[in-house]
Amino acid sequence: MPDPRAPVDSRDFSRRTLLANERTFLAWWRTGLTSLTAGLAAAQIVPHLSDSEHQWPYTLVGMALCAIGTLCIVYGQWRRVAVDRAIRAGDFAEPSAVVTTVITMVGALIGIALLVVIAATA
């Protein structure tokens, strides 16, 4: 008796994994676009809405958000290609510890900078 949990097509697991890779790629894009949008807002819109006499902190935070957004989009493409190749070869592609650490550290620094800007303008 055939296993009812077995895929109808033996390639089904690879297809689902390739589609999951595509969804992950799109998540990197969403994160990147969100960071770019937040960067634009922080650098260009928020200073005009606030009563602060100094705009450079907003510009600095906005530039950092735009840099991290760009990095997310570029790394998402690099990762998508690496994982796609690995899936087709029946292998696993390790994420870059350097890039993920940089993204994490820059994200933490942006969070701290936002806290400082908020506290300084409150």
Side-chain angles (χ1 to χ4, degrees):
M1 178 173 224
D3 184 0
R5 295 172 295 170
V8 176
D9 184 342
S10 62
R11 298 172 298 171
D12 189 45
F13 290 122
S14 294
R15 287 180 181 159
R16 284 189 283 163
T17 307
L18 288 169
L19 290 172
N21 186 38
E22 184 177 332
R23 287 189 300 273
T24 303
F25 170 66
L26 294 173
W28 281 105
W29 259 90
R30 281 190 304 272
T31 302
L33 290 175
T34 301
S35 295
L36 290 170
T37 303
L40 177 64
Q44 297 296 318
I45 298 170
V46 174
H48 296 294
L49 297 176
S50 71
D51 292 330
S52 177
E53 59 187 65
H54 300 291
Q55 292 190 2
W56 68 266
Y58 299 103
T59 302
L60 189 62
V61 169
M63 288 172 59
L65 283 164
C66 288
I68 199 79
T70 303
L71 179 61
C72 286
I73 291 170
V74 171
Y75 180 68
Q77 170 62 11
W78 179 85
R79 180 85 178 130
R80 185 197 64 78
V81 170
V83 170
D84 189 78
R85 286 182 184 152
I87 292 167
R88 294 177 191 283
D91 201 5
F92 180 74
E94 289 285 339
S96 169
V98 172
V99 175
T100 54
T101 300
V102 166
I103 290 171
T104 301
M105 296 307 295
V106 172
L109 290 173
I110 291 169
I112 292 167
L114 284 171
L115 288 172
V116 169
V117 169
I118 291 167
T121 59

